[in-house]
Amino acid sequence: MFDTDILLQDSQEILGAVPVTLAMAFTIFVLSTIVGSLFALVEYRRIPLLRELVVTYKVVFKGVPMVIVIFLAYFGRPPALQFLFSLVGIDFNAHETPNWVILVIAITGCVAAFQAEIIKGALNAFDTGQSDAAYSLGYTKGQLFRRVLFPQVALTAIPDLTTSMMVIMKALSLGFAIEVVDIFAQSQLTAALNFYYLEAFVIAVVIYMVIAYVVTQIADRLEQSLRVRT
């Protein structure tokens, strides 16, 4: 049965994993958005060869389950890096790389494929007639980007990017497979010590709900701010 007396004790332990989880999630979100934006620009401008490479990348990383990518990065990265460094005569022990770094890189690679689609969709929604109007008013490319293109593209992309942030939060739970402790992993470890699994997972659910609410509120305020500017 559900035991309320254990909630406080478990809450303290599980909340300890929140800062690490948020730090990894934010890092992945920023990196994947940057990479995804570059991929989207390549497709938007139809750059030869690079566009085909980007399309291939997206097909691969959107089709392969994320947990497989994590395992490939975990088991395949050390020998691959050591081989590459050996070609230039550098003795490098790739096995010393922290597991959380591997997790961040793997999830970033997967999420970047989806971020590219989000940014591309936002770019395609932009009315190119506004660019012609801006140039006729004497805008430079930098001014066009800062004052016209970026606010509108960001406004269009915010709802989907908010969803991506929550997808990243949930994807981090896969890190338990390579011994990276996030909110979900900490709830499992806590429950394994006292066998109060229901209580631990209820706490984890509440924490995820609070984070989702805060992220949504931040996104809504940012969206309102951009609507005023545009």
Side-chain angles (χ1 to χ4, degrees), residues 210-221:
V210 171
I211 293 173
Y213 175 78
V214 172
V215 169
T216 301
Q217 290 299 309
I218 293 174
D220 288 344
R221 290 174 183 255

Side-chain angles (χ1 to χ4, degrees), residues 22-217:
L22 291 176
M24 288 192 294
F26 182 74
T27 301
I28 293 170
F29 179 80
V30 172
L31 293 177
S32 63
T33 302
I34 292 173
V35 175
S37 298
L38 294 175
F39 288 168
L41 285 173
V42 168
E43 285 197 275
Y44 182 71
R45 296 186 178 277
R46 299 182 179 276
I47 301 175
L49 184 59
L50 287 179
R51 182 173 180 271
E52 284 70 26
L53 291 175
V54 167
V55 171
T56 302
Y57 177 93
K58 291 196 301 182
V59 169
V60 172
F61 279 88
K62 286 195 296 183
V64 178
M66 201 174 293
V67 67
I68 294 180
V69 176
I70 292 172
F71 278 128
L72 287 175
Y74 182 72
F75 293 107
R77 175 200 47 81
L81 285 179
Q82 288 187 200
F83 173 74
L84 291 175
F85 278 102
S86 67
L87 294 178
V88 292
I90 299 177
D91 185 15
F92 177 74
N93 185 5
H95 292 279
E96 295 180 352
T97 305
N99 289 352
W100 69 267
V101 174
I102 299 172
L103 181 65
V104 167
I105 293 173
I107 297 180
T108 296
C110 294
V111 177
F114 295 94
Q115 302 289 63
E117 293 288 7
I118 294 172
I119 304 299
K120 187 181 76 171
L123 287 170
N124 289 333
F126 178 72
D127 184 4
T128 54
Q130 296 184 60
S131 299
D132 298 331
Y135 286 134
S136 67
L137 294 174
Y139 277 43
T140 63
K141 289 184 177 181
Q143 290 174 325
L144 171 65
F145 177 80
R146 287 195 318 272
R147 300 180 182 179
V148 182
L149 179 61
F150 177 77
Q152 294 190 37
V153 169
L155 181 61
T156 303
I158 281 177
D160 290 327
L161 290 177
T162 304
T163 303
S164 293
M165 182 63 180
M166 298 317 303
V167 169
I168 291 169
M169 287 292 301
K170 289 184 285 187
L172 285 171
S173 63
L174 298 173
F176 191 55
I178 58 171
E179 300 177 356
V180 177
V181 179
D182 72 324
I183 295 171
F184 170 71
Q186 185 60 56
S187 65
Q188 285 187 302
L189 293 173
T190 301
L193 293 175
N194 54 27
F195 300 103
Y196 286 95
Y197 286 92
L198 178 60
E199 289 79 0
F201 288 130
V202 166
I203 294 169
V205 167
V206 172
I207 292 173
Y208 280 121
M209 289 176 62
V210 171
I211 293 173
Y213 175 78
V214 172
V215 169
T216 301
Q217 290 299 309

